[in-house]
Amino acid sequence: MVIGRYTNFLIMNLFDYSNQFIKQEKKNISNNNKVLSVTEFNNYVNSIISIQQVIVEGEISGFKIAKERLIYFDLKDDKSVVSCFLFKFQLDKMGVVLEDGMKIQVTGTPNLHSTGRFNLIAEFIKPVGEGSIKRALELLKQKLFQEGIFAPERKRPLPKFPENIGLITSQDAAAYTDFIKVLSHRFGGITIYFYPVSVQGEKAPNEITEAFNYFNQKMPNLNVLVLTRGGGSLEDLMAFNSEKVVRSVFGSKIPVICAVGHERDESLSDFAADKRASTPSNAAELLVPERSEVEWQLNKIKERFVYQMDKKIKSLEQFYQILENRMNIWWQNLLQKLELEERLLKSFDPEAILERGYSITMLGEKILKNATQVKMGDKIITKLKKGKVESTVN
């Protein structure tokens, strides 16, 4: 049995207290000459062993889930075995996936059941040793992958020029300093809203989750959230492999960039984020371009714009020239057609016919074409090129 997180002084006090309690109980029983029932005896023993939380380290054996709500397994070393028990919702809340052969630490309370069965009631479990930690991560990664949490198609693009950034990290971490330093040397006009959290240890997953909840509920108009910390061992980075944190990254309404550890470090939060950065400094570089780079891009845009405008103007000039030529040809053809039509109309002009010596005889407004159209006494008019002659039919 390994009892962790307590000094020798506290352990000695615990044992002293237990011994004093047992001696007092023995004295009470002896004085009263009381004979205990089995239930009283078990309750008596349980009251002694369950007064303090302990941490026990060992290897999992016989892991099983009963009725989808109760979890049983044995924790063993080379010489001994202890049974452990907890509810499934507790394990789900921890975000740990267990299997036989995995080495873990169980924080819990010793318990003697009324049936005489001894076990350890687990309250917190964490894998220990690189092999067990990696295996637990792999099992959790498979579970989350099947849910689509790492799917590339759901990842959102980061804003080109963010103005408001939410930063989640430790204030004392080098990641905070690196991120701010790089950001300050790049394009300006940015406001950073900082939420300090623990980045390792038991408190870290809850604090990081609270930071995501705060930004999403209180400041949903932020352009992007940055979750970051520096490098460390696999155990140091466990908070960012917590199922609780991974689901917070996945469920964020605000796009998330995750920069955990150094370039080779990878966490499950990296896979769930919209964008992964290799380092905190790289996160700042990916989010905000350098001023010189922006100026270069603007100059390139200006050059392309001027080039396109010149090309457009030349194209319009060519079009205008072609249009002008076609209009001139059309106009000349129209003039020729009008001249032809004019000559044709003149050839049919009655005045032109009269010019050649012909005349027109009319009875009233009617042009006479046949002598039978008049009778004796009719007044007719003969129109000549110059003047007219009035006559009476005899």
Side-chain angles (χ1 to χ4, degrees):
M1 178 183 291
V2 178
I3 301 178
R5 305 190 178 211
Y6 305 100
T7 65
N8 291 334
F9 175 76
L10 289 176
I11 294 173
M12 291 303 296
N13 281 349
L14 170 62
F15 290 150
D16 289 344
Y17 175 79
S18 299
N19 289 333
Q20 291 174 7
F21 180 82
I22 293 170
K23 288 177 181 178
Q24 182 63 40
E25 286 297 312
K26 285 181 177 179
K27 185 177 179 181
N28 292 339
I29 294 172
S30 177
N31 291 339
N32 296 331
N33 294 318
K34 182 178 180 181
V35 177
L36 300 176
S37 68
V38 174
T39 299
E40 288 174 332
F41 173 75
N42 284 347
N43 290 339
Y44 164 68
V45 174
N46 197 44
S47 67
I48 296 173
I49 65 175
S50 63
I51 60 175
Q52 185 60 54
Q53 190 181 68
V54 295
I55 302 176
V56 184
E57 183 174 299
E59 182 181 306
I60 297 175
S61 175
F63 181 87
K64 63 180 179 179
I65 301 176
K67 300 179 181 179
E68 285 298 318
R69 64 187 187 93
L70 303 176
I71 294 179
Y72 300 94
F73 62 88
D74 291 334
L75 201 61
K76 66 178 185 177
D77 58 20
D78 294 339
K79 297 179 180 179
S80 302
V81 177
V82 62
S83 297
C84 298
F85 160 81
L86 74 158
F87 289 98
K88 187 176 182 298
F89 78 86
Q90 292 177 281
L91 190 63
D92 292 339
K93 190 175 181 180
M94 296 175 205
V96 179
V97 182
L98 303 178
E99 67 176 6
D100 287 351
M102 190 178 292
K103 190 175 182 180
I104 61 171
Q105 285 183 357
V106 178
T107 302
T109 305
N111 176 69
L112 181 64
H113 196 266
S114 60
T115 60
R117 186 174 66 252
F118 175 78
N119 60 20
L120 179 64
I121 299 177
E123 298 168 7
F124 182 76
I125 298 174
K126 72 172 184 178
V128 292
E130 187 170 345
S132 293
I133 293 176
K134 285 185 176 180
R135 180 56 182 162
L137 287 180
E138 183 60 32
L139 292 172
L140 180 58
K141 184 178 179 180
Q142 291 175 11
K143 172 187 172 183
L144 298 176
F145 177 81
Q146 290 172 358
E147 293 183 30
I149 288 180
F150 306 141
E153 58 269 17
R154 56 154 291 274
K155 296 181 183 293
R156 298 159 292 190
L158 299 180
K160 292 288 186 183
F161 296 95
E163 297 180 2
N164 299 295
I165 297 174
L167 177 61
I168 304 172
T169 190
S170 170
Q171 189 167 5
D172 300 325
Y176 173 84
T177 305
D178 292 346
F179 182 81
I180 298 298
K181 182 179 179 181
V182 173
L183 211 61
S184 64
H185 288 89
R186 301 178 81 82
F187 207 80
I190 298 171
T191 303
I192 298 175
Y193 299 89
F194 176 53
Y195 195 114
V197 297
S198 300
V199 292
Q200 66 185 69
E202 292 183 10
K203 294 181 179 179
N206 286 335
E207 291 184 6
I208 294 172
T209 300
E210 289 170 3
F212 272 95
N213 290 338
Y214 175 83
F215 280 131
N216 277 273
Q217 294 173 11
K218 303 295 184 180
M219 308 183 72
N221 294 325
L222 290 179
N223 301 122
V224 66
L225 294 182
V226 180
L227 176 62
T228 185
R229 67 150 287 163
S233 67
L234 187 59
E235 291 189 12
D236 291 338
L237 303 179
M238 282 305 293
F240 299 87
N241 290 313
S242 162
E243 183 174 356
K244 179 182 292 187
V245 172
V246 174
R247 292 191 182 278
S248 294
V249 173
F250 171 77
S252 176
K253 297 177 182 177
I254 307 168
V256 180
I257 182 170
C258 190
V260 177
H262 298 304
E263 189 166 353
R264 293 186 178 180
D265 294 325
E266 287 184 340
S267 71
L268 298 184
S269 294
D270 288 320
F271 298 128
D274 296 287
K275 184 72 174 179
R276 176 187 179 266
S278 57
T279 63
S281 297
N282 181 237
E285 293 168 352
L286 291 174
L287 274 177
V288 182
E290 289 186 353
R291 183 179 297 274
S292 59
E293 181 183 346
V294 174
E295 291 175 349
W296 181 84
Q297 290 179 349
L298 289 175
N299 286 332
K300 283 295 181 182
I301 292 173
K302 179 182 177 182
E303 290 175 4
R304 285 198 298 268
F305 177 76
V306 171
Y307 171 77
Q308 292 294 333
M309 287 302 296
D310 287 343
K311 186 177 179 181
K312 197 71 175 177
I313 290 172
K314 290 179 181 178
S315 176
L316 289 173
E317 288 176 346
Q318 291 176 355
F319 175 77
Y320 175 77
Q321 187 63 47
I322 294 172
L323 182 62
E324 185 179 27
N325 292 338
R326 290 182 177 178
M327 286 295 293
N328 288 334
I329 293 172
W330 176 83
W331 181 249
Q332 293 299 324
N333 290 336
L334 180 61
L335 289 178
Q336 291 177 3
K337 187 175 181 180
L338 287 174
E339 289 176 359
L340 179 61
E341 293 293 334
E342 184 180 12
R343 288 196 297 270
L344 184 60
L345 286 173
K346 285 183 177 179
S347 68
F348 289 103
D349 186 0
E351 294 294 332
I353 296 173
L354 295 176
E355 184 70 28
R356 295 197 295 270
Y358 292 94
S359 64
I360 299 173
T361 302
M362 303 179 67
L363 176 63
E365 297 297 326
K366 184 189 300 183
I367 296 175
L368 298 176
K369 298 178 181 180
N370 195 318
T372 59
Q373 291 180 271
V374 295
K375 59 183 183 296
M376 295 291 291
D378 285 339
K379 300 291 186 179
I380 60 175
I381 297 174
T382 300
K383 186 177 182 181
L384 306 171
K385 171 62 180 175
K386 293 182 179 180
K388 59 183 179 178
V389 176
E390 294 183 0
S391 308
T392 300
V393 179
N394 293 322

